[in-house]
Amino acid sequence: MKFVFKSFGCQMNKLDTALVTSALTEAGFDLTENVKEANVVLINTCSVRRHAEQRVLSHLGHLKHIKRARPDLVVAVIGCMAQRLGDKLLEHEAVNIVCGPAQIPQIPGLLTGAIEQKKKKLAITGKIRRPTPNAQADALERFESAADSSDKQIPGQAFVRVMRGCDKFCTYCIVPYVRGPEVSRPPEAIISQIKNLANEGIKQVTLLGQAVNSYEYKTGEKTYSLADLLAMVSNVEGIEWVKFVTNYPAEKFLDDILQVMADSPKVCPYLHIPVQSGSDKILRAMNRRYTASEYLGLLDRARDIVPDIAIAGDFIVGFPGETKEDFQATVELLHKAKYRNCFIFKYSPRPGTTADKRLEDNIPADVKQRRNVELLAEQEKISDELSRSFLDKEVTVLVEGPSKKPHLDSADNAGNPQLIGRTATDYIVVFNGPTLLAGDFAKVKITKTSPLTLFGQLI
Ligand code: SAH
Ligand code: SF4
Ligand code: F3S
C-alpha cells in the first residue's frame, strides 16, 4: 500500500505529518510522491485563515476528479480543518476519512478499515474545550514517543512538541477551538524522545508550543518551566542547537528563558515573539494581554540579557476597527522593534471566534492589502540593513541540503551544487558546497546579502 502526504499549516502540522508518516511506515505503508501510484492520499490541513482552507478545498476538488476514474483511492483529511468542519467535510465527494489532531494515533487503523470496508469514517473530538480525557492523552503520548519525529526532508533536524493546545483565546484565533486546551508534556518524555533523536544523528531540535513560554509541568514538589526544559535539552549529548517557537509576549518566565539563552551556547539566540498590533486599543480587542510599550520593554530586556539576539514577530493588519492611527501605531512599533524579520497577515474572520461573533470585518480588502504592503516594505528596509551587517563576516550554519532554486551566479559555482543552511538566528544562507554536508554544520563567509537571505562561500 502506498500513500501520498500533502501538508498545509504550521510547524505543529509538519510535526504531525512526520509522526503519522513514520507510524504508517511502521505499519507497512510506503510513502510516495506520485498520486498515480498511491492507494491513499493524506491531507494535513490548517484553519488559521480562510485562504488556508480554500487551498485544501481546491485540492479536494482536484482529487474528486481523480477519484471518479479511480474510486478505490482513499482520501483522508486530517488536522485542524478536519476538527473544525468534521462531518461537513466528510460529506465531500472526495473524502473517505476525517481525523482531528487528537485522533492521529488512530490513522493506521482508520486507513486499513477504509481500504477494506469502503465506509466513510469520522474521528474528531466532540467537545473540544473539555479537558483531554486520560485515555486520549495517554494514546497521544505513546504515539508521540514511539514515532520518529525527525524531519524527513531536512537531515539533522527535528521538531519536538512540548505542549498541545492553547488557552490564550486571542479573539481572532481558531487554534484553541481546533487544538483544544493547553497541556504540557512530561519533561522526562520529552528528554527521552530527544535522546533517541540525538542517537539517530539529530543535531537541532525545535521545541514547539502555541505559547511555548507558558510551558509548565508539575510533579510532586517540582514545577518545570521552559527555562528548565531548555537547560535539560542542552545537556543531551549530540544536540548542538535548540530552538523554540512561538512565544507569547507575557512577563511570565521570559527572563529565565533569556537567561538560559545567554548562559547556554546551545540555546539559539532567536526569539519569535509575535506582537500582532502596535495599537493598545486593537491589542485589547484582540485579547492580547499587554500594551505596545510593555511589549517593547520585553524586547529591550531581551537585548540586554542576550545582546546578539535576533527577534522575529507577526502582525495582523485590518483587524476590525483598525483606524489609520491604529495602523500608524503598528508602523511605529515595527520601527522600534527592529525585527530581523516578521510575518504579516491580513485579518481573516474565523467562524466561532469571539472577534467573528462580536466584531464586523469592516476594513475593506484593498485597505488590508495596502497596509500589508506598506508594513512589508518598512520591514524590508530594516531586514536589509540588518543583513548588510553580515557582509564579510563568518557565520556557522546547519546545512539543510540543495537549494530548490538557483541563487548565485553560476560563475561562483566551482562544480558544486548550491546549498541552503540556516544560522542559529534563523538566517537562510546560500552557498556552494558538496551535498554530503547536509545535516552538518559549516562555516560560510558572507559575500552578498538581501533582506532575508545571505550568500557566501564555504570556508
Ligand atoms: N500560537 C502562535 C501562532 C498562531 S497562528 C502564536 O500565538 O504566535 C500564526 C499567526 O497567524 C499568528 O501569530 C497571527 O499573526 C496569524 N493569525 C492567527 N489568526 C489569524 C486570523 N484570523 N487572521 C489573520 N491572521 C491570523
Ligand atoms: Fe492563537 Fe493566541 Fe493561542 Fe497563538 S496564543 S495560538 S494567536 S490563541
Ligand atoms: Fe497550525 Fe493552522 Fe492548526 S496554524 S495549529 S495548522 S490552524
Side-chain angles (χ1 to χ4, degrees):
M1 287 290 158
K2 291 195 167 160
F3 67 103
V4 164
F5 220 136
K6 189 136 177 71
S7 276
F8 299 85
C10 64
Q11 286 151 326
M12 239 357 140
N13 257 19
K14 287 199 187 131
L15 168 57
D16 286 339
T17 295
L19 292 171
V20 172
T21 300
S22 111
L24 286 176
T25 313
E26 264 314 274
F29 290 82
D30 293 307
L31 182 64
T32 166
E33 303 267 297
N34 186 353
V35 181
K36 287 206 182 95
E37 59 168 32
N39 311 88
V40 175
V41 176
L42 290 123
I43 310 172
N44 201 354
T45 60
C46 171
S47 285
V48 81
R49 280 168 292 276
R50 203 164 81 99
H51 178 67
E53 294 198 341
Q54 279 170 332
R55 284 171 64 206
V56 170
L57 292 174
S58 83
H59 192 64
L60 284 176
H62 170 67
L63 285 172
K64 186 172 79 181
H65 292 291
I66 297 182
K67 275 191 73 160
R68 286 197 182 143
R70 291 173 51 208
D72 283 347
L73 184 69
V74 170
V75 173
V77 182
I78 71 170
C80 295
M81 195 176 165
Q83 175 60 41
R84 188 176 93 73
L85 294 173
D87 45 16
K88 280 196 224 102
L89 205 50
L90 201 60
E91 282 167 17
H92 193 290
E93 189 186 323
V95 177
N96 300 85
I97 294 168
V98 169
C99 175
Q103 285 72 29
I104 53 172
Q106 300 171 29
I107 289 176
L110 286 168
L111 289 185
T112 314
I115 291 165
E116 285 162 8
Q117 301 161 10
K118 309 241 173 319
K119 266 202 228 132
K120 291 199 177 223
K121 293 251 190 295
L122 178 70
I124 58 169
T125 304
K127 298 249 188 293
I128 188 76
R129 292 303 307 173
R130 292 264 173 86
T132 317
N134 285 341
Q136 188 183 70
D138 291 348
L140 276 169
E141 197 47 59
R142 271 198 310 276
F143 185 73
E144 188 118 28
S145 303
D148 170 9
S149 73
S150 63
D151 193 316
K152 306 298 175 296
Q153 262 89 52
I154 307 179
Q157 305 191 14
F159 291 121
V160 175
R161 186 168 5 237
V162 300
M163 303 169 75
R164 301 177 220 286
C166 186
D167 287 348
K168 297 288 183 279
F169 289 103
C170 306
T171 56
Y172 50 80
C173 184
I174 195 74
V175 173
Y177 307 98
V178 288
R179 289 273 168 174
E182 213 167 273
V183 181
S184 293
R185 294 183 60 211
E188 66 272 14
I190 296 167
I191 296 299
S192 95
Q193 202 183 337
I194 293 176
K195 282 185 179 156
N196 291 338
L197 289 166
N199 284 337
E200 290 166 31
I202 293 296
K203 299 198 170 87
Q204 171 182 294
V205 288
T206 304
L207 309 184
L208 296 183
Q210 296 296 344
V212 70
N213 52 324
S214 304
Y215 177 88
E216 191 170 37
Y217 190 89
K218 290 196 179 81
T219 67
E221 296 284 273
K222 172 116 179 111
T223 301
Y224 292 86
S225 67
L226 186 71
D228 298 323
L229 203 56
L230 286 170
M232 288 158 76
V233 178
S234 308
N235 285 333
V236 174
E237 204 176 318
I239 298 297
E240 300 297 335
W241 280 2
V242 188
K243 295 179 175 171
F244 55 99
V245 285
T246 310
N247 293 277
Y248 186 87
E251 293 288 319
K252 201 178 165 195
F253 306 139
L254 209 54
D255 274 11
D256 296 346
I257 292 168
L258 292 164
Q259 201 52 57
V260 178
M261 200 184 265
D263 295 342
S264 166
K266 292 189 177 179
V267 179
C268 295
Y270 172 75
L271 195 69
H272 185 192
I273 188 159
V275 65
Q276 313 299 1
S277 170
S279 151
D280 290 341
K281 181 192 92 189
I282 298 294
L283 288 171
R284 250 191 328 274
M286 288 175 162
N287 189 33
R288 301 287 288 186
R289 300 155 206 189
Y290 51 86
T291 62
S293 74
E294 282 166 354
Y295 176 83
L296 289 169
L298 284 181
L299 299 197
D300 284 344
R301 276 222 309 286
R303 289 181 166 120
D304 276 346
I305 302 174
V306 188
D308 58 345
I309 197 167
I311 299 176
D314 296 359
F315 289 97
I316 295 176
V317 294
F319 188 80
E322 186 187 68
T323 61
K324 252 197 260 166
E325 291 72 29
D326 294 320
F327 178 65
Q328 214 39 53
T330 295
V331 175
E332 270 162 40
L333 184 139
L334 177 133
H335 276 288
K336 290 182 186 151
K338 291 235 175 305
Y339 294 114
R340 156 200 154 354
N341 80 326
C342 61
F343 303 92
I344 301 162
F345 306 101
K346 290 178 271 189
Y347 173 66
S348 168
R350 305 315 297 137
T353 58
T354 311
D356 186 53
K357 284 193 261 186
R358 301 211 185 131
L359 306 169
E360 193 199 337
D361 179 21
N362 59 2
I363 308 300
D366 60 321
V367 177
K368 284 182 186 169
Q369 178 62 18
R370 258 204 324 272
R371 290 179 183 172
N372 190 350
V373 169
E374 184 180 334
L375 213 50
L376 268 178
E378 291 300 318
Q379 179 58 41
E380 192 167 305
K381 287 185 229 157
I382 299 169
S383 294
D384 194 36
E385 203 172 307
L386 288 173
S387 291
R388 275 172 208 277
S389 66
F390 283 91
L391 262 183
D392 297 327
K393 301 229 166 79
E394 276 178 27
V395 297
T396 302
V397 297
L398 182 54
V399 182
E400 297 189 351
S403 153
K404 291 207 179 74
K405 49 179 186 204
H407 291 273
L408 298 173
D409 306 335
S410 50
D412 302 338
N413 215 345
N416 276 317
Q418 272 180 22
L419 301 179
I420 283 221
R422 251 172 226 268
T423 66
T425 50
D426 217 46
Y427 273 96
I428 297 168
V429 181
V430 178
F431 59 100
N432 293 307
T435 315
L436 57 82
L437 274 181
D440 271 321
F441 291 97
K443 279 202 176 355
V444 177
K445 183 165 178 185
I446 302 304
T447 52
K448 198 171 113 187
T449 68
S450 77
L452 292 177
T453 312
L454 308 176
F455 303 89
Q457 276 158 0
L458 190 64
I459 300 173

